[in-house]
């Protein structure tokens, strides 16, 4: 036996290289926590946010985390390449476990060890069988509903994708909002070896709506109970995660724990790290029944096939009905019912080591789950306070979370070498189109841009709006980048109607925008503004793609195609709605032109009427838009006639005309081949004029300009949208 082990030293060395890639990754990531080659313990003193030493270094540490994450990716690629070469030269590898990857830490069901905070180490016994095959698909189920949860789940997915080396299949139980957002996001993300399936959460409401629930997650917090019915009948096992989870290791390590289940164990759970189920948090505190401290359901391993055979549905329903007779409602949603079932049937649970669910709510024992950063596996922000939670090491964990939050998701579009991906028609067509381009063409980068698929997150903030029932509603449509954020509050003050905005941002900029919006009373008071994030990729500004994204996601019959530098005249929204009726846009084919003006002043008393505006034109404080730079762009508007007009008048199209127009929502899209500055709107207006008599009801023949309601550009410095 000793001879066999010695004969496999080279193979074991190669295997250990892979086994410790995750550990190496996190050693590099948190190198800022080491001094003189020795790990610095996460002591309470050093982790206090108000400690001078900590305050001075926390920002630097966080910035270094992001840089090191990118460096580690390169290290991992090199390690994998070296390993593959070593494996190809090793005869014993081909005779043995060539399709296997991981040898996992010894799991423990010993609750006494867990309560003592003992973290199990990696086992490397000679002859141990790896538990997860190289290309085995890992199934993950997540319940996600609403706008905020849709943002949270992206950070969770990023952390999983960063570490993963196996194909992933996400099963998303989502409401209509989350499905729309996440379906578009994953379709445009195009991550290899990742499959997404959606299950209608609204159809499941009747299964759990009879259970009164006080938890902030609402009815969706109960839906993990019905996964055995919801997920495909041929799916045998699944990892179930809350949206407020962050992974610090490869999810395959958790998947491998399924192989340690014995007998009738069908649920893998971590012990609850607060005193909630002990019933001693306050006087007359009466929690649901639980085994000891109970279990937290933020991370669950479900053996679905066995649960179905045990009639899980009947089991949890009977338990819930009985307990509700005295408890009246749940306080922690599904977690209360899971614990009540386990209390009666303790044999069902396999207790996971607590580092698989380090719970960062107030007053938990989470610090007993780790001794240094290499022990961390899964971090759970299971408090309504989220990042504001009280914990001795909260700044450390917050920086880790923020690193993934702002991590460039485009870097996660990496292939899994040796694991064939499922055929994707969209990806195949894209590759075919790109292969047909001539890389020696001087315009190659421009031509390639039209095929670039930009990751898109729709409705980044809460959106709630029902169009007016009279079918006259108009949405203002615009696009912007980070340097135009200051225009948002002013536009919202000038335009009370719905707005659809496409923002071209990086992942880090998207979080800056979120903080900016959440800190603005003006923006937070408006729920009829749809913010759609198009993530940066490539060297060009895809102006027309952004316009198309904003146009596609309006819910009104008409839209005002504007630019972010323009402020509508007060009352323009209601004026346009009346004009829609007056000019019978519902039954005729017309585009309505809103004349545009500009000022060179940063501060200006905004005109309240046409007479006031004419006075400012005469005084030279206002000008017709771009008259001194690009006269042809707005010459057909005929501003001289507009000065004296009292009724709408017809305007004939001319070459290079680029007005701001109100059109029906089925207006043709902009040509996305135009990027950056120049001709992008000109081409669109030309296409409108060239449209034959078609069913979109947009007429080239009758275009009107308004005598009373202008839009005005507050600043003119090189508008990128023109």
């Amino acid at each position: 036996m000793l001879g066999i082990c010695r004969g496999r030293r080279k193979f074991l060395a190669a295997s250990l290289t892979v086994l410790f890639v995750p550990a190496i990754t996190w050693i590099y990531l948190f190198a800022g926590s080491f001094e003189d080659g020795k790990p610095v313990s996460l002591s309470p003193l050093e982790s206090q946010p108000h400690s001078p030493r900590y305050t001075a270094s926390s920002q630097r540490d966080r910035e270094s985390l992001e840089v090191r994450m990118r460096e580690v990716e390169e290290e991992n690629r090199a390690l994998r390449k070296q390993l593959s070469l070593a494996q190809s030269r090793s005869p014993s590898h081909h005779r043995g476990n060539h399709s296997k990857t991981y040898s996992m830490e010894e799991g423990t069901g010993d609750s006494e060890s867990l309560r003592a905070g003992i973290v199990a180490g990696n086992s490397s016994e000679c002859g141990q069988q790896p538990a997860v095959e190289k290309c085995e698909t890992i199934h993950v189920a997540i319940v996600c509903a609403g706008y905020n949860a849709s943002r949270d789940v992206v950070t969770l997915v990023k952390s999983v994708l960063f570490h993963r080396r196996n194909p992933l299949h996400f099963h998303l139980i989502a409401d209509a909002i989350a499905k729309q957002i996440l379906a578009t996001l994953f379709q445009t993300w195009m991550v290899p070896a990742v499959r997404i399936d959606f299950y209608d959460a609204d159809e499941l409401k009747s299964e759990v709506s009879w259970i009164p629930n006080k938890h902030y997650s609402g009815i969706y917090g109960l839906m993990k109970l019905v996964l055995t019915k919801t997920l495909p009948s041929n799916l045998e096992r699944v990892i179930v995660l809350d949206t407020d989870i962050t992974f610090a290791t490869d999810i395959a390590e958790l998947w491998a724990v399924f192989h340690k289940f014995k007998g009738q164990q069908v649920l893998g759970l971590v012990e609850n790290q607060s005193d909630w189920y002990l019933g001693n948090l306050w006087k007359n505190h009466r929690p649901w029944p639980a085994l000891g401290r109970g279990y937290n359901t933020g991370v669950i391993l479900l053996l679905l096939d066995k649960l179905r055979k045990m009639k899980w549905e009947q089991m949890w329903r009977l338990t819930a009905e009985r307990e509700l007779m005295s408890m009246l409602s749940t306080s922690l949603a599904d977690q209360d019912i899971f614990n009540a079932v386990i209390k009666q049937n303790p044999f069902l649970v396999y207790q996971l080591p607590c580092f698989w669910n380090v719970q960062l709510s107030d007053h938990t024992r989470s610090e007993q789950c780790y001794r240094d950063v290499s022990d961390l596996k899964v971090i759970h922000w299971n408090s309504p306070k989220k990042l504001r939670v009280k914990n001795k090491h909260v700044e450390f964990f917050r920086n880790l979370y923020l690193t993934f939050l702002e991590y460039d998701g485009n870097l996660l579009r990496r292939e899994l070498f040796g694991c064939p991906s499922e055929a994707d028609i969209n990806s195949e067509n894209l590759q075919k189109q790109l292969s047909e381009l001539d890389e020696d063409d001087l315009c190659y980068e421009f031509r390639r841009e039209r095929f670039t698929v930009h990751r898109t997150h729709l409705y980044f903030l809460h959106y709630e709006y029902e169009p007016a029932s009279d079918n006259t509603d108009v949405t203002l449509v615009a696009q912007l980048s980070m340097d135009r954020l200051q225009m948002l509050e002013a536009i919202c003050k000038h335009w009370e109607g719905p707005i659809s905005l496409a923002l071209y941002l990086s992942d880090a900029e998207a979080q800056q925008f979120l903080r900016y919006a959440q800190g603005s009373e003006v923006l937070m008071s408006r729920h009829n503004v749809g913010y759609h994030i198009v993530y940066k990729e490539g060297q060009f500004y895809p102006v027309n793609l952004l316009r198309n994204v904003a146009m596609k996601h309006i819910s009104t019959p008409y839209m005002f195609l504007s630019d972010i530098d323009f402020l509508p005249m007060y009352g323009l929204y209601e004026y346009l709605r009346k004009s829609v009726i007056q000019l019978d846009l519902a039954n005729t084919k017309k585009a309505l032109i809103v004349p545009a003006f500009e000022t060179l002043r940063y501060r200006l008393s905004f005109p309240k009427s046409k007479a006031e505006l004419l006075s400012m034109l005469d005084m030279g404080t206002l000008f017709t838009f771009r008259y001194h730079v690009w006269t042809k762009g707005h010459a057909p508007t005929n501003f001289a006639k507009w000065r004296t007009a009292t009724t709408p008048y017809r305007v004939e199209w001319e070459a290079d005309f680029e007005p701001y127009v109100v059109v029906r929502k089925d207006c043709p899209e902009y040509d996305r081949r135009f990027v950056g500055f120049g001709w992008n709107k000109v081409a669109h207006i030309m296409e409108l004029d060239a449209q034959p008599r078609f069913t979109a009801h947009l007429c080239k023949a009758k275009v009107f300009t308004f005598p009373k309601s202008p839009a005005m550009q507050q600043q003119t410095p090189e508008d990128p949208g023109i």
Side-chain angles (χ1 to χ4, degrees):
M1 188 66 179
L2 182 60
I4 294 176
C5 287
R6 287 176 177 173
R8 293 186 178 178
R9 282 178 180 173
K10 292 183 179 180
F11 169 66
L12 287 173
S15 300
L16 286 172
T17 304
V18 176
L19 291 176
F20 291 107
V21 163
I24 292 172
T25 298
W26 288 101
I27 290 172
Y28 275 122
L29 286 180
F30 301 105
S33 298
F34 288 70
E35 295 181 358
D36 301 325
K38 297 180 180 180
V40 179
S41 63
L42 297 175
S43 66
L45 176 61
E46 291 184 359
S47 61
Q48 292 300 320
H50 302 293
S51 169
R53 175 184 175 187
Y54 194 93
T55 303
S57 63
S58 60
Q59 181 62 29
R60 183 175 65 255
D61 290 344
R62 180 169 162 235
E63 292 174 355
S64 66
L65 280 173
E66 187 171 359
V67 173
R68 290 191 179 97
M69 290 176 83
R70 292 184 173 87
E71 294 175 350
V72 168
E73 284 190 325
E74 297 300 326
E75 295 282 348
N76 286 347
R77 292 192 189 100
L79 286 170
R80 293 188 192 106
K81 184 175 181 180
Q82 293 173 8
L83 177 63
S84 63
L85 292 174
Q87 290 175 336
S88 64
R89 296 168 185 165
S90 173
S92 62
H93 170 75
H94 291 287
R95 288 193 301 267
N97 301 322
H98 67 280
S99 63
K100 309 276 184 164
T101 305
Y102 303 108
S103 175
M104 306 318 308
E105 77 280 348
E106 289 294 336
T108 174
D110 182 11
S111 60
E112 292 303 320
S113 296
L114 285 173
R115 292 188 179 97
I118 297 174
V119 179
N122 287 343
S123 173
S124 57
E125 295 178 6
C126 182
Q128 182 180 358
Q129 293 297 315
V132 180
E133 294 185 2
K134 177 180 179 181
C135 295
E136 181 178 349
T137 298
I138 296 172
H139 294 267
V140 180
I142 305 170
V143 178
C144 181
Y147 301 96
N148 293 340
S150 298
R151 283 201 313 272
D152 294 338
V153 79
V154 175
T155 307
L156 161 60
V157 170
K158 280 184 181 180
S159 69
V160 173
L161 291 176
F162 180 82
H163 299 284
R164 66 101 180 216
R165 286 176 292 176
N166 281 69
L168 297 171
H169 187 164
F170 288 100
H171 302 265
L172 302 180
I173 296 84
D175 66 349
I177 293 170
K179 181 178 180 181
Q180 180 186 15
I181 295 171
L182 296 176
T184 301
L185 177 68
F186 283 106
Q187 182 181 359
T188 54
W189 203 342
M190 300 180 70
V191 182
V194 171
R195 177 178 170 182
I196 310 293
D197 279 329
F198 289 93
Y199 307 84
D200 191 348
D202 294 328
E203 291 184 357
L204 301 177
K205 286 183 177 180
S206 60
E207 299 283 344
V208 293
S209 60
W210 57 274
I211 305 174
N213 179 29
K214 295 180 180 179
H215 193 257
Y216 63 86
S217 61
I219 192 171
Y220 300 101
L222 297 163
M223 290 188 177
K224 285 184 280 188
L225 293 166
V226 297
L227 289 180
T228 53
K229 288 181 61 177
T230 306
L231 299 178
S233 58
N234 61 347
L235 183 60
E236 296 182 356
R237 61 191 65 182
V238 68
I239 297 173
V240 186
L241 302 174
D242 281 355
T243 58
D244 53 1
I245 290 289
T246 304
F247 266 78
T249 192
D250 193 336
I251 195 172
E253 297 181 28
L254 181 57
W255 185 256
V257 178
F258 275 117
H259 294 275
K260 300 179 181 179
F261 282 29
K262 298 178 181 178
Q264 293 181 294
Q265 291 175 334
V266 291
L267 304 170
L269 293 163
V270 170
E271 185 181 52
N272 200 46
Q273 291 158 19
S274 76
D275 293 344
W276 177 269
Y277 288 108
L278 298 181
N280 57 10
L281 293 182
W282 60 79
K283 187 177 180 180
N284 299 325
H285 175 216
R286 186 165 171 258
W288 275 55
L291 193 64
R293 306 187 69 88
Y295 294 91
N296 184 277
T297 56
V299 177
I300 315 176
L301 272 60
L302 292 183
L303 274 181
L304 296 172
D305 52 345
K306 286 190 175 182
L307 280 167
R308 294 183 184 110
K309 293 176 181 177
M310 291 180 177
K311 298 183 179 180
W312 166 254
E313 280 289 318
Q314 182 179 356
M315 187 183 299
W316 75 259
R317 283 178 180 272
L318 291 174
T319 301
E321 289 172 357
R322 183 181 61 254
E323 297 300 332
L324 284 170
M325 293 178 67
S326 58
M327 299 302 300
L328 303 182
S329 67
T330 61
S331 297
L332 300 181
D334 65 89
Q335 184 168 300
D336 284 339
I337 299 176
F338 270 102
N339 275 288
V341 173
I342 293 170
K343 174 73 171 180
Q344 293 182 335
N345 308 280
F347 56 86
L348 296 177
V349 68
Y350 174 88
Q351 186 163 329
L352 299 171
C354 68
F355 51 64
W356 284 118
N357 186 350
V358 179
Q359 299 151 38
L360 297 184
S361 57
D362 291 346
H363 312 299
T364 66
R365 303 161 73 248
S366 58
E367 66 275 6
Q368 297 184 13
C369 296
Y370 54 88
R371 292 173 179 170
D372 55 48
V373 296
S374 63
D375 295 330
L376 297 173
K377 301 289 186 182
V378 173
I379 300 164
H380 186 189
W381 300 88
N382 62 320
S383 165
K385 298 179 181 179
K386 300 306 178 188
L387 299 186
R388 301 187 305 275
V389 70
K390 295 179 181 179
N391 181 279
K392 289 194 294 186
H393 308 124
V394 68
E395 285 298 319
F396 175 84
F397 292 115
R398 185 183 292 127
N399 287 337
L400 172 62
Y401 174 82
L402 292 176
T403 300
F404 282 119
L405 188 72
E406 300 182 357
Y407 188 77
D408 185 354
N410 297 328
L411 299 178
L412 299 171
R413 289 169 166 166
R414 54 180 180 235
E415 294 283 349
L416 294 180
F417 296 105
C419 296
S421 299
E422 293 185 11
D424 185 338
I425 297 178
N426 293 330
S427 297
E428 292 176 355
N429 290 339
L430 177 62
Q431 292 302 321
K432 181 180 179 181
Q433 291 168 332
L434 291 174
S435 66
E436 294 174 353
L437 297 178
D438 182 5
E439 295 188 18
D440 296 327
D441 184 354
L442 295 178
C443 296
Y444 171 76
E445 293 297 334
F446 282 99
R447 302 188 196 283
R448 189 181 188 280
E449 173 61 29
R450 63 175 168 167
F451 299 119
T452 300
V453 179
H454 290 268
R455 187 164 41 102
T456 302
H457 189 132
L458 304 177
Y459 299 105
F460 201 66
L461 293 176
H462 180 80
Y463 181 81
E464 186 176 349
Y465 184 72
E466 286 293 332
S469 58
D470 60 2
N471 293 322
T472 63
D473 222 339
V474 183
T475 299
L476 187 150
V477 172
Q479 45 74 33
L480 68 151
S481 54
M482 195 69 180
D483 60 347
R484 292 296 196 272
L485 283 186
Q486 73 275 6
M487 292 297 299
L488 294 181
E489 287 191 352
I491 289 178
C492 286
K493 292 177 181 178
H494 280 251
W495 179 274
E496 65 269 28
I499 302 174
S500 180
L501 299 172
L503 297 87
Y504 193 57
L505 306 173
S506 66
D507 291 73
E509 288 173 340
Q511 297 308 313
Q512 294 177 39
F513 159 70
L514 179 62
R515 292 191 290 271
Y516 170 80
Q518 291 176 336
S520 167
E521 291 184 8
V522 174
L523 300 186
M524 286 294 95
S525 66
R526 293 286 299 271
H527 299 300
N528 62 347
V529 182
Y531 301 98
H532 312 298
I533 308 297
V534 178
Y535 287 101
K536 286 183 176 180
E537 185 170 0
Q539 58 180 306
F540 301 109
Y541 185 82
V543 57
N544 277 358
L545 170 66
L546 296 173
R547 288 181 172 132
N548 290 340
V549 169
M551 286 170 56
K552 285 179 182 178
H553 300 97
I554 68 170
S555 56
T556 59
Y558 305 98
M559 54 188 175
F560 174 29
L561 304 181
S562 183
D563 274 327
I564 198 64
D565 285 329
F566 281 85
L567 294 179
M569 184 173 179
Y570 290 113
L572 179 60
Y573 169 63
E574 290 298 335
Y575 185 88
L576 291 178
R577 290 184 60 184
K578 294 176 182 178
S579 300
V580 165
I581 300 174
Q582 177 186 357
L583 300 173
D584 195 21
L585 259 65
N587 301 306
T588 57
K589 300 177 180 180
K590 300 172 183 176
L592 312 179
I593 296 174
V594 179
F597 301 86
E598 66 181 348
T599 179
L600 300 177
R601 300 187 179 186
Y602 283 88
R603 294 184 178 181
L604 182 74
S605 177
F606 206 89
K608 297 180 175 61
S609 64
K610 181 177 180 179
E612 194 173 327
L613 185 146
L614 290 174
S615 175
M616 296 174 75
L617 282 172
D618 294 336
M619 292 174 61
T621 55
L622 284 183
F623 308 93
T624 55
F625 184 57
R626 295 178 70 85
Y627 81 100
H628 59 299
V629 176
W630 184 242
T631 305
K632 297 169 66 176
H634 292 266
T637 300
N638 194 347
F639 286 98
K641 183 175 181 178
W642 180 84
R643 292 178 66 99
T644 59
T646 57
T647 59
Y649 57 91
R650 179 171 171 172
V651 171
E652 294 291 344
W653 174 85
E654 296 178 14
D656 302 328
F657 191 27
E658 50 178 7
Y660 296 93
V661 297
V662 177
V663 292
R664 293 178 56 143
K665 69 178 298 184
D666 48 11
C667 163
E669 292 185 347
Y670 287 85
D671 188 338
R672 68 161 295 183
R673 291 177 296 178
F674 288 91
V675 294
F677 179 85
W679 307 111
N680 41 72
K681 277 209 315 294
V682 170
H684 187 246
I685 296 298
M686 183 185 298
E687 183 177 1
L688 294 184
D689 181 73
Q691 290 292 312
R693 295 183 180 276
F694 69 116
T695 57
H697 304 296
L698 180 64
C699 181
K700 63 152 187 168
K702 295 182 180 180
V703 184
F704 293 85
T705 186
F706 294 116
K708 293 183 180 179
S709 299
M712 184 176 70
Q713 188 189 39
Q714 193 167 12
Q715 289 177 262
T716 57
E718 299 193 6
D719 174 18
I722 303 302

